[in-house]
């Protein structure tokens, strides 16, 4: 069991432009009965991805040939809203995604993603539109997410800075284990408890 | 001592920072950690892998709510559900954590039993691997949902790494008209700000309409803060808060109670304290609210026509509205009143407390659920169930033709056997109308308990107000 690491990634992307995609869509609640993290990638976007008979919906983006090997999801505004289920980033990572690019993420989803090595990249609406445009021109568009430089770029686009919590960035670059970090504060926690004992 | 005026949130935050290193988030002390079967197994696994135990079992409380069937109990659960329920029991036992388990007469939805048993108290930091932990903010505490990795962090250390959010005042002044409730307030707030409007913020609900709400109403409002994207929602504590907490099993007693109340009286936001932003709403202008789309921000007053996509300037939002209406099989510009209803669900951590059941039963008394409608009434806890039965509310529901169940999340999340069939339309007192939330292909209209009852009686979406004086919908 090791902390996730990330430095830089250059890969193809798929575009799912819907706004306000909630975590119930990313992974429906009926798949939350597991007690580990296995198999969730198969169920990612299940109710959009599969038809009623269980066969892949050919219209859904992840079922199109170009989705094979894509490691970056370009998503719409407010991606990951709703339930706090960490199963959502587990499912995205299970499918093979390592970064999601949007104009805004829901808070809990963003935090959960960072803890699983899935980089939430926030860019401005105009840049987001430009990325979708560029992807429309070329299915093989190679997008680079560079965590060291905190930039995202693609052919024809100079690196764009994206905001990321500096502590999370450090943890991902260095593979810092957050629980291990927190455990260093046991003494302070004990002092806090002693001071607040009723 | 002249100190800068502070908000309720700021006071609780500042008093819980254990440490803060440059460039790192604050290490925040957690007073109460609520745990349920769905978001905890992988967190307990991390403890086991590292040879750790729950650091403060006395600050940790477990319950079973999400995957527990509301009829037939454990035996009725499917195999995966049973494994999950058993695992919570064994994890709790191995760590000395109090659990409201299968045989507990006080078991219930985590956000119902926290306040009910007196665990939830003003000034606390409260977390749970569940986004509706915002409910507990109704007591003037800071309650927020966390992911499973963070559940592990809190189990192991009783602390959490957190960046400080911004504050947003949600000011609701004025007086609600009869038939308009706390649920309608929050649905109207969400319709105004949208599902992303509170992202990065903690809400504090203020104003005369919020002060006038009882504790259950305040819980209903705070519960849905997350539906606006806010991590937490808070209401400053007052005598109503203290009276609610007083005498509950885990509330302070005797001299400790007096000391606690003295501290709690210091919590409300100081005059002149600044919020990062403010949203206002006039309670007097509100009607019963319903949602028409596939997120909780897509709501309208029940008498109003559904919005037209053409009225939205932003192309992505327009596409979103079109997609929602198509999923719901509703037509833009048409009224939502009169749409045929298949199922009515009265329950969930938003509206399943005794006051909700009383209000619903009062409206339903002497009436019948329409033959074409299946109505389910699911108390938020076994204690609520017993209280309702002592008052005879169960009889009112049963005589009207509704199904009276055991406590649990039930059809709010559809992972326990209670669910819609594809295409069915439900009027639901829960908090989420996402596609498939109540069962694959199911369609959800969120509403208050009163609107739910009126719709159950009419067999179609109906305004509760005409029923208030004994009339027909
Ligand atoms: S009732 Fe619904 S929203 Fe509340 S805790 Fe249960 S599943 Fe979550």
């Amino acid at each position: 069991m090791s902390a996730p690491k990330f430095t830089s990634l250059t890969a193809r992307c798929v575009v799912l432009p819907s706004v306000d995609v909630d975590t119930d869509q990313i992974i429906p609640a009926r798949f939350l009965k597991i007690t580990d993290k296995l198999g969730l990638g198969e169920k990612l976007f299940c109710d959009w991805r599969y038809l009623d008979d269980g066969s892949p919906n050919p219209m859904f983006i992840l079922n199109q040939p170009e989705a094979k090997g894509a490691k970056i999801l370009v998503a719409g505004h407010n991606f990951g809203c709703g339930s706090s289920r960490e199963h959502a980033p587990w499912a995205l990572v299970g499918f093979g995604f390592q970064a999601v690019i949007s104009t805004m993420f829901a808070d809990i989803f963003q935090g959960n993603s960072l803890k699983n090595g899935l980089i939430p990249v926030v860019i401005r609406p105009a840049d987001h539109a430009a990325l979708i445009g560029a992807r429309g021109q070329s299915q093989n568009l190679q997008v680079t997410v560079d965590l060291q430089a905190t930039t995202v770029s693609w052919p024809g686009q100079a690196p764009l800075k994206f905001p990321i919590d500096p502590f999370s960035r450090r943890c991902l670059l260095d593979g810092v284990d957050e629980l291990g970090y927190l455990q260093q504060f046991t003494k302070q926690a004990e002092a806090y408890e002693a001071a607040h004992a009723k | 001592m002249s100190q800068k005026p502070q908000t309720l949130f700021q006071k609780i935050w500042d008093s819980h920072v254990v440490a803060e290193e440059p460039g790192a988030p604050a290490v925040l002390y957690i007073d109460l950690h609520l745990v349920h079967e769905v978001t905890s197994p992988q967190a307990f696994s991390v403890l086991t892998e590292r040879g750790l135990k729950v650091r403060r079992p006395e600050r940790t409380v477990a319950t079973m709510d999400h995957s527990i069937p509301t009829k037939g109990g454990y035996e009725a659960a499917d195999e995966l559900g049973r494994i999950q329920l058993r695992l919570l029991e064994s994890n709790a036992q191995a760590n000395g954590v109090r659990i409201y388990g299968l045989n507990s007469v006080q078991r219930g939805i985590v956000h119902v039993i926290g306040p009910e048993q007196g665990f939830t108290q003003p000034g606390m930091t409260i977390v749970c691997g569940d986004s509706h932990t915002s409910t507990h903010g109704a007591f003037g505490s800071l309650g927020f949902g966390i992911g499973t990795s963070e559940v592990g962090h809190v189990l192991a250390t009783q602390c959490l790494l957190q960046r400080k959010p911004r504050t947003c005042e949600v000011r609701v002044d004025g007086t609600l008209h009869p038939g308009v409730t706390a649920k309608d307030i929050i649905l109207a707030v969400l319709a105004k700000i949208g599902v992303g409007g509170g992202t990065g913020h903690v809400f504090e609900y203020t104003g005369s309409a919020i002060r006038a709400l009882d504790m259950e109403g305040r819980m209903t409002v705070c519960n849905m803060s997350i539906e606006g994207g806010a991590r937490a929602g808070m209401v400053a504590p007052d005598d109503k808060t203290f009276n609610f907490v007083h005498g509950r099993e885990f509330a302070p007693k005797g001299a400790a109670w007096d000391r606690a109340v003295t501290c709690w009286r210091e919590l409300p936001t100081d005059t002149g304290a600044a919020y990062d932003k403010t949203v206002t709403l006039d309670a007097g202008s509100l009607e019963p609210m319903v949602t028409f789309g596939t997120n909780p921000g897509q709501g309208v007053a029940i008498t109003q026509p559904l919005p037209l996509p053409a009225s939205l300037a932003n192309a992505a939002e327009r596409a979103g509205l079109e997609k929602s209406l198509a999923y719901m099989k509703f037509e833009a510009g048409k009224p939502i009143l009169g749409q045929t209803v298949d199922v009515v669900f009265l329950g969930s951590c938003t509206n399943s407390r005794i006051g909700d059941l009383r209000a619903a039963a009062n409206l339903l008394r002497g009436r019948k659920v329409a033959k074409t409608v299946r109505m389910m009434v699911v108390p938020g806890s076994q204690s609520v169930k017993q209280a309702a039965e002592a008052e005879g509310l169960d009889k009112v529901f049963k005589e009207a033709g509704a199904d009276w169940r055991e406590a649990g999340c039930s059809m709010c999340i559809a992972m326990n056997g209670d669910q819609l069939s594809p295409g069915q339309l439900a009027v639901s007192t829960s908090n989420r109308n996402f596609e498939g939330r109540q069962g694959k292909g199911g369609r959800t209209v969120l509403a208050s308990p009163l609107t739910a009852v009126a719709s159950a009686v009419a067999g179609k979406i109906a305004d509760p107000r005409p029923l208030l004086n004994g009339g027909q919908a």
Side-chain angles (χ1 to χ4, degrees), chain A residues 165-168, chain B residues 9 13 20-21 23-26 161-166 231:
Chain A
D165 179 79
F167 179 78
S168 301
Chain B
F9 163 76
W13 179 274
E20 195 164 10
E21 290 196 328
L161 286 166
Q162 282 291 298
R163 289 276 175 202
K164 189 160 143 190
R166 294 184 292 275
R231 285 299 289 279

Side-chain angles (χ1 to χ4, degrees), chain B residues 65-66 109-111 130 132 223 348-350 408-409 412-413 431-432 437:
Chain B
D65 49 7
H66 284 66
I109 305 173
V110 62
H111 311 307
D130 196 288
H132 292 102
N223 174 271
S348 90
C349 57
T350 317
C409 294
C412 174
I413 190 154
N431 44 45
R432 286 186 172 145
R437 169 78 178 190

